[in-house]
Amino acid sequence: MLKAVILIGGPQKGTRFRPLSLDIPKPLFPVAGLPLIQHHIEACIAVEGLKEILLIGYYPVSQIQQFVNDMNQQYNIIIRYLQEFTALGTAGGLYHFRDQIRCGNPDAFFVMNGDVCSDFPLQEVYSFHKEKGNKALVTIMGTEATRQQSLNYGCIATDKATQEVTHYVEKPSSYVSTLINCGIYAFSVDIFHIIGEAFIAKQQDFYRNGNGAKETGYIELEKEVLSLLAGSGKLFAFQVNNWWSQLKTAGSAIYANRHYLELYRSKHPERLCQNAAVGNNTKICNILPDVYIHASATIHPTALIGPNVSIGPGVTVGPGVRIRESIILADAVIENHSLVLHSIVGHNSRVGRWTRVEGTPSDPDPNKPFAKMENPPLFNHDGRLNPSITILGCYVSVPSETILLNSVVLPHKELTRSFKNEIIL
Amino acid sequence: MRALILVGGYGTRLRPLTLSRPKPLVEFANKPILLHQIEALVEAGVIEVILAVSYRAEQMEEELSLEAKKLGVSIVFSHETEPLGTAGPIALARDILKKSDDPFFVLNSDIICEFPFKELALFHKQHGREGTIVVTKVEEPSKYGVVVYNEFNAIQSFVEKPQEFISNKINAGLYILNPTVIDRIKLQPTSIEKEVFPDMAKDGHLYAFELEGFWMDVGQPKDFLSGMCMYLKSLRRKDPDRLYKGPGVVGNVLVDSTAKIGANCQIGPNVTIGPGAVIEDGACIKRCTILRDATIRSHSWLENCIIGWRCTVGRWVRMEGITVLGEDVIVKDELYINGGQVLPHKNIASSVPEPQIIM
C-alpha cells in the first residue's frame, strides 16, 4: 500500500504569487482548469495501490475543506487535510503527522511540494525506490538545470553508477551540481527515525541553550534531513528529463498553464477544446490549440481563443474577442472586440469593449537547454517595474477602449483610464 | 484675379506621408490640401493660380492639370532655383502678377479655414490701400507673432512672441495685395512677414481682415488631425448632408462613397475615410484619417492616427498617440502601436509601445 503527502504551505507563503493568492490559497489556483494541486492528486490516482492522500499545511481548514470534499467526491480515494498548528517546515509537518502517515503501514509514501508542476512520474519514482532495496530511505526526483540557475535550487551530487546521493546542498552560493531537487520524493516510513533524531536534537538544543526563535518543531527537510542523509547510502536521486517547473511568481502560472494543457493532449484530450465539432461537443468558437474552456463558460462563436488559454466556469466572452496565452478565472467577463494577451484575469473581473489587456511573458530562455523560469524580482535595479504578465485581481473592472500593459491590479479596483507598467493598489 | 500659393519645399513636417506624395496633394478630409484652396479661390473669381515650388513637381503638375481643367482655372508652376522665402516667390512671378492691375491673393499652402476670399477682396477694395492680411484669433498669443491694429483695422505693428498681452490676433497666412507691392520685394530670399509687411504697415498701407470660423496650419500630423476635427465641425454646420450617416457612427464623420464599412463598427467622432478604404467588422476608429485604399481589419481600435494609402492594419491592433503610417504599411494582427511614425512599405511585426520612428 502506498500513500502520498502534498505539502501545501500556508497563507504566509506564496507572497510572490500575489495578488492572485490574496483571495484563494495558491495551491488551489486553477492552472489548465484545475486547482494546482489537483494535478498532483490526479497523478496519485494513477498510481497502483495508492490509498490515501494527505494534504499538510497551515491554511485554516475553512479555506481547504471545500476542495477536499470536492476531491473526495470526484475521485475514489481518501483525501484529508491535516492542518499544522503553526508553520512547521517541510519535514516538521511530516513528523508532526507521522502517525497519520504511518498508520496502515504503507510500503512507502510520496511527498510532493504543492507548488511544483510536472507530469509526476510517481510510478517510476516508486519503482526506482523499490529497486534500491531496504537501505533506501528517500528517493529524490531530480532534473537537470543550467549551471547558473542551479544555485536557486537544492543541488544533488550523485554516484553515477548507483544513483546514490553523495552530497546535497540547498541553494548553494557556488556551483555544486546541475542536478536539482524537483520537490517530489518517495519516502520509506523509516525516515521518521531520521527526522525524529533531528527533532530531538533541536529540542535539546533549545532547552540547553535557550536559543532558536523558531518553533522547536520547525524542521526543513532539505537543510536538516537531506543534507545529513547525503553520503550515508540511504538517499538516492532519480533523474527525469520530463518538463518540470515551480510555480513561484504569477508569471510562471501562464508558463505552467501552457505545459499542463500540452500534457492534456496525451492524458486528457477530452479536456481540450476542438476547432471542429467532435462527437457531442459542438464547436464553441474559433480555437487555436491548446485551449481549455469550462463547460459553463459562455463564449461567442466569433471569438478567437488560443493558444494556451484556460477559461474558468461562468466566464462570458463577447463577440470578436481575442484571447491568447492567458488564464481567465471564474465569472469574468470579456466584452466585445477586446484582446487579452499574456495575462491573468481574476474571477468576477470585467474587461470593457475594444480594450487591450497585455503582459510581457517571462518564459525560460528558449536558447538554453534545461533553462527554468527566471522569477525575476518585481522591480529592477533602477526601481522600475520589470515588464511581466498583466494580472487583474478579482472584481477588477477595466473600462472600454483602454490599454492595460504590463500592470498588476489589486482586487476590487475600478480603473478609469489606461495604465502601463504600474501596480495599481 | 490671380493667386499665388507658397507651396515651398518637401513638406518634411508631414513625413512619412510626404515621402510618397507632395504635401499639397495629401488628402485632407478626402481632398488634396491644395484643392481646398484652389476651389475656394475659383469660387471667388480667380482665373489663374501660380504655385511657387522649390522642387521639381511632375506628379503635382500631372494630377493638378486634370483638376484645373474641371474647375476651369489655369495653373502655372513657378520654380525657385533656390528657396526664396515667403516674399521672393512673389518677385519671381512678377510678370504674371503684373499682367493686370487687379489685386492678387497670396496663401501659405498648409492653411485650412473657411477661406473668405470674396469678403477679403471686398474689404480690400473698400480700404483702398496696398495690402490686407487675414488675421485669426488664438488662445495663447505668446507663442506667435501677433498683429496690432487700430479700430479701422489699419495695422500698426507686429510683435513677435509678446511677453504681455497686446493682441490675440495672428497672421493667418492669407493675404491680398496690390501689384504695387511687388515693387517692394527684391528677387532674393526674403520674408514677407519680417521684411515687407512692417514697412507697409509703417506707410499705412496694410490692413487686417478678421477671419470668421476655424483656422489651422495642417502642416504636421498633430495639427492635421486637429484641423480635420475643425473642418468636420464646420461641415456639420454648413453642409451636413456630406457627412456620413451609416450605422455605428458617432459625431462628425466623412466617408467616401466608395469606402466599405463592415458591421458592428464604431466610427467617430472626427473620422475621415478615403475612397476604396475597407473597414472590416467590429473596428473602432476615432479622430483618424484613413487614406485611399487602406484596410482596417476586424476588432482593431484606432485613435489619433493617420493611415496612409493602401495600408493594412491587422485584426485586434491598437494604434494611438498620433501614429502615422506611410504608404503601403502592413501592421500585423494583435499589435500595439503608440506614436509610431512608420515609413512607407514597412511590415510591422512587433509592437511599438513608445513613440518611435520606424525606418
Side-chain angles (χ1 to χ4, degrees):
Chain A
M1 191 264 283
L2 296 169
K3 292 195 183 188
V5 174
I6 304 171
L7 302 171
I8 64 171
Q12 286 84 2
K13 296 294 251 179
T15 55
R16 279 186 286 169
F17 204 64
R18 287 176 184 170
L20 297 172
S21 53
L22 286 175
D23 63 310
I24 185 173
K26 180 173 121 179
L28 302 186
F29 180 80
V31 176
L34 298 187
L36 181 59
I37 56 171
Q38 194 172 343
H39 294 283
H40 299 58
I41 291 170
E42 290 208 326
C44 293
I45 304 295
V47 177
E48 206 181 315
L50 199 146
K51 299 287 188 202
E52 187 176 44
I53 301 168
L54 301 170
L55 311 181
I56 296 180
Y58 49 100
Y59 287 100
V61 172
S62 59
Q63 290 189 25
I64 306 294
Q65 198 53 48
Q66 184 59 48
F67 171 72
V68 170
N69 295 348
D70 291 349
M71 292 299 102
N72 276 315
Q73 213 162 51
Q74 210 169 327
Y75 304 105
N76 187 22
I77 197 167
I78 305 160
I79 300 175
R80 290 192 291 148
Y81 175 49
L82 305 176
Q83 190 198 348
E84 299 167 336
F85 56 95
T86 182
L88 291 174
T90 39
L94 293 175
Y95 189 67
H96 185 74
F97 292 113
R98 61 192 178 281
D99 290 344
Q100 302 282 347
I101 297 168
R102 275 195 301 217
C103 82
N105 197 24
D107 301 312
F109 61 98
F110 297 104
V111 172
M112 288 172 270
N113 288 346
D115 66 354
V116 298
C117 305
S118 161
D119 62 348
F120 301 103
L122 299 180
Q123 197 75 57
E124 293 165 50
V125 173
Y126 178 59
S127 301
F128 174 93
H129 185 72
K130 208 162 68 175
E131 207 174 86
K132 295 299 167 190
N134 287 337
K135 61 174 183 171
L137 287 185
V138 182
T139 292
I140 309 175
M141 188 174 113
T143 195
E144 196 77 15
T146 65
R147 214 180 143 95
Q148 188 219 339
Q149 286 187 326
S150 69
L151 305 181
N152 304 322
Y153 298 90
C155 293
I156 309 167
T158 57
D159 179 323
K160 289 279 175 291
T162 62
Q163 289 93 35
E164 196 187 312
V165 176
T166 52
H167 189 55
Y168 183 92
V169 198
E170 186 66 18
K171 299 191 179 76
S173 53
S174 61
Y175 173 70
V176 171
S177 163
T178 52
L179 184 63
I180 59 163
N181 178 355
C182 291
I184 298 167
Y185 315 87
F187 280 71
S188 298
V189 285
D190 288 342
I191 189 65
F192 290 117
H193 298 305
I194 307 289
I195 307 179
E197 282 166 27
F199 180 77
I200 289 161
K202 232 174 167 171
Q203 299 288 325
Q204 283 174 348
D205 194 44
F206 178 77
Y207 288 109
R208 194 178 302 132
N209 305 323
N211 60 4
K214 268 193 173 153
E215 179 57 44
T216 53
Y218 185 90
I219 309 168
E220 285 184 61
L221 179 66
E222 298 82 1
K223 287 184 181 153
E224 295 171 70
V225 179
L226 299 181
S227 300
L228 289 181
L229 273 181
S232 69
K234 293 170 183 163
L235 180 62
F236 291 85
F238 174 64
Q239 188 176 341
V240 299
N241 295 317
N242 305 5
W243 168 72
W244 173 88
S245 179
Q246 281 180 313
L247 195 71
K248 291 294 185 193
T249 55
S252 51
I254 300 278
Y255 173 68
N257 185 61
R258 182 193 316 154
H259 280 276
Y260 271 130
L261 289 174
E262 197 186 328
L263 287 176
Y264 285 169
R265 288 187 187 195
S266 55
K267 291 189 173 171
H268 293 285
E270 77 284 359
R271 288 184 184 162
L272 294 173
C273 290
Q274 307 296 330
N275 222 340
V278 180
N280 294 332
N281 297 330
T282 47
K283 182 183 161 182
I284 300 168
C285 65
N286 304 306
I287 298 283
L288 299 170
D290 302 325
V291 171
Y292 167 87
I293 298 177
H294 192 274
S296 64
T298 311
I299 315 288
H300 195 273
T302 59
L304 174 58
I305 297 180
N308 308 317
V309 172
S310 292
I311 294 183
V315 167
T316 305
V317 173
V321 165
R322 175 81 181 97
I323 307 175
R324 177 156 65 90
E325 299 281 352
S326 295
I327 300 176
I328 315 296
L329 297 176
D331 302 314
V333 178
I334 315 292
E335 292 185 34
N336 311 7
H337 316 297
S338 284
L339 171 74
V340 179
L341 282 186
H342 302 289
S343 299
I344 298 176
V345 176
H347 67 82
N348 293 95
S349 283
R350 175 176 286 269
V351 173
R353 292 170 172 226
W354 281 297
T355 283
R356 185 182 182 95
V357 176
E358 182 181 13
T360 300
S362 46
D363 289 343
D365 188 341
N367 300 317
K368 282 190 189 154
F370 311 120
K372 308 281 180 271
M373 281 293 300
E374 262 312 340
N375 298 330
L378 213 44
F379 296 97
N380 65 19
H381 290 301
D382 311 327
R384 288 240 187 96
L385 198 60
N386 272 324
S388 150
I389 67 159
T390 285
I391 303 166
L392 306 186
C394 57
Y395 294 98
V396 164
S397 116
V398 185
S400 290
E401 303 185 34
T402 56
I403 176 167
L404 191 61
L405 185 65
N406 301 338
S407 293
V408 177
V409 188
L410 269 63
H412 299 282
K413 189 80 194 170
E414 199 156 309
L415 304 182
T416 53
R417 60 172 174 95
S418 294
F419 288 91
K420 295 178 189 172
N421 307 303
E422 270 188 64
I423 297 177
I424 300 128
L425 289 176
Chain B
M1 284 178 83
R2 293 187 168 79
L4 180 116
I5 300 178
L6 300 160
V7 172
Y10 291 98
T12 55
R13 291 188 307 159
L14 203 56
R15 282 182 181 168
L17 296 175
T18 45
L19 291 172
S20 305
R21 221 164 145 69
K23 184 173 61 181
L25 293 185
V26 171
E27 296 89 342
F28 174 89
N30 287 350
K31 192 190 291 178
I33 300 175
L34 196 60
L35 269 188
H36 285 274
Q37 301 170 332
I38 294 177
E39 283 182 7
L41 289 166
V42 170
E43 182 92 352
V46 169
I47 45 117
E48 188 168 49
V49 175
I50 303 147
L51 299 180
V53 293
S54 64
Y55 57 95
R56 284 292 303 154
E58 291 89 348
Q59 191 185 355
M60 214 153 76
E61 291 185 30
E62 209 173 289
E63 292 201 25
L64 282 177
S65 64
L66 213 75
E67 293 294 336
K69 207 173 272 174
K70 264 195 245 167
L71 292 168
V73 62
S74 81
I75 290 180
V76 182
F77 282 81
S78 170
H79 292 283
E80 304 163 40
T81 44
E82 56 164 337
L84 292 174
T86 46
I90 297 171
L92 189 67
R94 67 178 298 142
D95 294 344
I96 308 172
L97 296 171
K98 283 217 159 182
K99 275 185 193 165
S100 81
D101 294 331
D102 286 337
F104 58 90
F105 296 106
V106 177
L107 285 71
N108 286 346
S109 71
D110 302 339
I111 304 304
I112 289 292
C113 63
E114 289 171 5
F115 299 118
F117 291 122
K118 263 186 193 155
E119 297 82 349
L120 175 61
L122 190 67
F123 173 83
H124 182 73
K125 202 174 159 191
Q126 279 168 354
H127 69 66
R129 303 295 176 135
E130 279 189 275
T132 306
I133 298 181
V134 177
V135 296
T136 183
K137 205 163 97 178
V138 289
E139 294 268 319
E140 293 174 71
S142 64
K143 286 184 190 166
Y144 305 85
V146 299
V147 183
V148 183
Y149 49 87
N150 65 15
E151 67 269 36
F152 308 108
N153 283 26
I155 293 174
Q156 292 157 316
S157 63
F158 297 91
V159 182
E160 219 17 72
K161 298 196 170 70
Q163 300 286 310
E164 260 176 73
F165 184 87
I166 173 162
S167 159
N168 58 5
K169 299 294 195 303
I170 65 160
N171 177 348
L174 308 174
Y175 324 114
I176 184 165
L177 307 172
N178 288 348
T180 52
V181 175
I182 301 172
D183 301 328
R184 294 174 177 268
I185 303 167
K186 289 193 194 111
L187 184 55
Q188 63 187 46
T190 312
S191 160
I192 198 166
E193 298 88 350
K194 295 201 176 86
E195 298 173 63
V196 181
F197 287 159
D199 287 342
M200 288 174 70
K202 210 181 289 168
D203 301 344
H205 270 296
L206 200 57
Y207 276 68
F209 174 86
E210 289 178 7
L211 185 66
E212 301 249 319
F214 78 99
W215 174 89
M216 195 47 132
D217 176 334
V218 296
Q220 50 190 334
K222 185 173 158 282
D223 300 333
F224 185 94
L225 291 172
S226 301
M228 176 191 71
C229 297
M230 295 172 177
Y231 179 87
L232 293 180
K233 191 177 159 195
S234 125
L235 205 57
R236 167 72 67 193
R237 195 166 48 80
K238 291 168 67 179
D239 198 358
D241 288 346
R242 282 180 55 206
L243 293 172
Y244 186 68
K245 288 178 280 292
V249 162
V250 181
N252 302 329
V253 174
L254 188 64
V255 178
D256 186 272
S257 60
T258 60
K260 287 195 181 71
I261 296 179
N264 303 317
C265 289
Q266 186 182 313
I267 313 287
N270 300 313
V271 171
T272 303
I273 297 174
V278 176
I279 314 298
E280 292 188 355
D281 297 353
C284 178
I285 305 174
K286 321 165 96 162
R287 213 175 188 272
C288 289
T289 288
I290 314 288
L291 294 173
R292 182 187 290 269
D293 295 326
T295 299
I296 310 297
R297 302 210 54 206
S298 284
H299 317 300
S300 282
W301 185 91
L302 276 63
E303 185 178 52
N304 283 320
C305 299
I306 304 175
I307 307 300
W309 311 272
R310 300 189 295 114
C311 283
T312 299
V313 175
R315 298 181 299 167
W316 291 288
V317 165
R318 182 185 177 95
M319 293 211 290
E320 59 186 332
I322 318 285
T323 286
V324 185
L325 302 187
E327 183 190 13
D328 180 34
V329 165
I330 296 172
V331 179
K332 288 237 166 89
D333 288 354
E334 299 169 27
L335 298 183
Y336 172 48
I337 313 288
N338 177 21
Q341 311 247 70
V342 186
L343 271 64
H345 313 294
K346 284 295 285 189
N347 210 332
I348 307 286
S350 60
S351 288
V352 181
E354 294 303 326
Q356 204 185 320
I357 293 163
I358 294 134
M359 294 288 282

